[in-house]
Amino acid sequence: MQLPLFDISNLSEEDWTFSGAPTRTLTHCYHDYPARMIPQVAARLLERFAPQPAILFDPYCGTGTSLVEGLIRGHEAHGTDLNPLARLISRAKTAPLSLEALDAAVADLEVWLRSPMRTPERLPTGIDLAFWFQPQAVEQLAHVRAWLDQLADDDLRAFFAVAFSETVRECSNTRPDEFKLYRLPQARLRTHTPDVFNLLRTKIARNREGLCQFLAAYAAAPRQSRAHIHAFNSVQGIPLEQIAPESVQIVVTSPPYGDSRTTVAYGQFSRLAAEWLGLPEAARVDRALMGGTSLSKLPNFHVPLLDLALQQIYAQAPRRALEVAAFYADLRASITNVASIMARNGIVCYVVGNRSVKGARLPTDHAIQRFFEALGFAHVVTYQRAIPNKRMPLRNSPSNRSGATAVTMTHESVVVMRKV
Ligand SMILES: C[S@@+](CC[C@H](N)C(=O)[O-])C[C@H]1O[C@@H](n2cnc3c(N)ncnc32)[C@H](O)[C@@H]1O
């Protein structure tokens, strides 16, 4: 057996909770997103397992937490995500935007907001605008969207589009405490009169502060590079021209906890903003994500604890078991592809939660370890962390009926493996 290259002795008592730590520093303040990784976890993993500038990859980069932390440490950061809104946020958060250009654009926007209302060439067509927004909000959002449309610079446009996206969500008729699209009750709608322009101004001012912090950290990094945000599905393969085989030295990632339909509905969370921004495939995101399509037969994963849990679910609800199995089949396929682009001695860090379905605990951390071991990786360590400050449902609604909730997870694991 090979020894780990990293000294991880005396760390069993280490606290991974980071309770009370500020998680909205730098550009991490830009946009809310379900089940974000907290920056402190990414930072510690990068400092411990990639102390020198390296090639970093996040196969489920979401809003780019690990990419931002990688850039300010001089890493060359690659990320991919199937959710176009997540990619937009990642792009904005990792762009070292010029403050002068930003301030000039903010001044221009101010003039625009005070000028007669305009409408963009296209209003969203994939959603029922009158159902999800108050008439005045539609008018104001359309006016801002028309301004966004005439911004030529990609980085500037991404910065404002992200502030606009959060504004869309917050001024919509959706319940703010739900990831899925649930409309506010009628009684609340009667007094729901969001001020789109002021909401947008607040987001822009907050994000400008975050940008200033990011620019200072980025300038102090050992080297400055741009992040590469890709749109490929790592379950289906990793395009060679985007990431070369055996090139990546460190992966820091947090995959989804399960399929979008019954865990975190990233597509629904992003839908209204994605429609307003004209992002492609907005309606199809949840089906495209891991576990989005079912299987016809329960596979054998050769991971006894996982296979047993799936059989327990199958005995109670065969269809549900096949859906859950589809997620693990996709996870294993993605891991096989990630393994192929890892350099020798490269380290992968997967931050995951073990959820329960029909009373059966699904050992996702253990399955990830076994999937990588089957591909020639050695287990370095698995850290356990309580989740005090992650925005995710601690209770889920397995049947999508309100009130039918079950406790999901209060802890997550950080599985660290090394390619030998
Ligand atoms: C837990 S979130 C990642 C959050 C991220 N670490 C952050 O801090 O924002 C999981 C992400 O995986 C993405 N995802 C799910 N299936 C995917 C797939 N097959 N390929 C790429 N991304 C996928 C989802 O869109 C979601 O953004």
Side-chain angles (χ1 to χ4, degrees), residues 33-38 58-66 80-83 86 93 232-235 253-257 266 285 288-290 390:
Y33 195 65
R36 285 198 297 170
M37 188 191 295
I38 64 164
D58 184 342
Y60 312 96
C61 69
T63 59
T65 306
S66 57
T80 187
D81 203 290
L82 286 184
N83 181 355
K93 283 171 63 174
F232 59 79
N233 183 345
S234 67
V235 172
T253 194
S254 55
Y257 294 100
Y266 293 100
V285 169
L289 301 184
M290 290 215 307
K390 194 170 203 168

Side-chain angles (χ1 to χ4, degrees), residues 59-321:
Y60 312 96
C61 69
T63 59
T65 306
S66 57
L67 308 182
V68 169
E69 291 298 314
L71 281 188
I72 63 170
R73 288 171 178 79
H75 299 302
E76 182 183 327
H78 290 260
T80 187
D81 203 290
L82 286 184
N83 181 355
L85 183 70
R87 292 199 299 274
L88 174 76
I89 300 169
S90 276
R91 218 171 287 128
K93 283 171 63 174
T94 53
L97 197 59
S98 135
L99 279 181
E100 290 74 26
L102 176 62
D103 290 342
V106 171
D108 186 64
L109 173 64
E110 261 316 316
V111 174
W112 185 277
L113 294 183
R114 288 160 203 275
S115 65
M117 293 295 214
R118 316 229 186 134
T119 41
E121 270 177 26
R122 281 191 64 236
L123 279 172
T125 51
I127 45 169
D128 182 349
L129 281 181
F131 184 81
W132 290 115
F133 297 91
Q134 307 290 41
Q136 196 201 347
V138 172
E139 202 190 352
Q140 294 184 332
L141 287 170
H143 188 56
V144 178
R145 171 69 214 261
W147 181 77
L148 283 176
D149 283 350
Q150 41 94 62
L151 276 181
D153 181 274
D154 283 348
D155 288 346
L156 269 179
R157 191 171 190 283
F159 178 92
F160 288 103
V162 162
F164 177 69
S165 164
E166 256 201 352
T167 305
V168 168
R169 202 182 142 75
E170 288 180 27
C171 75
S172 73
N173 296 343
T174 45
R175 299 184 194 183
D177 47 355
E178 300 274 1
F179 294 138
K180 291 190 174 173
L181 287 172
Y182 291 121
R183 198 166 184 242
L184 286 169
Q186 276 303 332
R188 284 275 307 279
L189 282 176
R190 276 193 282 277
T191 55
H192 181 54
T193 50
D195 182 340
V196 171
F197 294 168
N198 273 338
L199 209 49
L200 180 70
R201 288 185 179 104
T202 314
K203 307 282 173 211
I204 290 172
R206 178 200 63 191
N207 294 359
R208 186 188 183 282
E209 285 291 305
L211 175 66
C212 292
Q213 293 173 12
F214 172 73
L215 289 175
Y218 182 78
R223 68 177 180 192
Q224 285 70 37
S225 57
R226 295 295 304 255
H228 311 271
I229 316 291
H230 309 284
F232 59 79
N233 183 345
S234 67
V235 172
Q236 288 166 1
I238 299 180
L240 298 184
E241 63 287 1
Q242 303 200 17
I243 304 184
E246 306 200 1
S247 64
V248 172
Q249 287 133 322
I250 177 108
V251 162
V252 174
T253 194
S254 55
Y257 294 100
D259 64 286
S260 274
R261 199 172 62 76
T262 60
T263 57
V264 179
Y266 293 100
Q268 280 196 51
F269 174 84
S270 313
R271 180 76 193 277
L272 299 180
E275 291 281 353
W276 268 102
L277 286 164
L279 297 177
E281 308 287 314
R284 283 202 281 272
V285 169
D286 282 326
R287 278 193 73 75
L289 301 184
M290 290 215 307
T293 48
S294 190
L295 297 174
S296 55
K297 187 166 157 274
L298 210 55
N300 182 351
F301 288 103
H302 304 287
V303 178
L305 289 177
L306 175 63
D307 290 323
L308 184 65
L310 289 169
Q311 281 154 18
Q312 282 171 3
I313 302 168
Y314 194 86
Q316 302 171 65
R319 260 190 57 193
R320 188 78 195 92

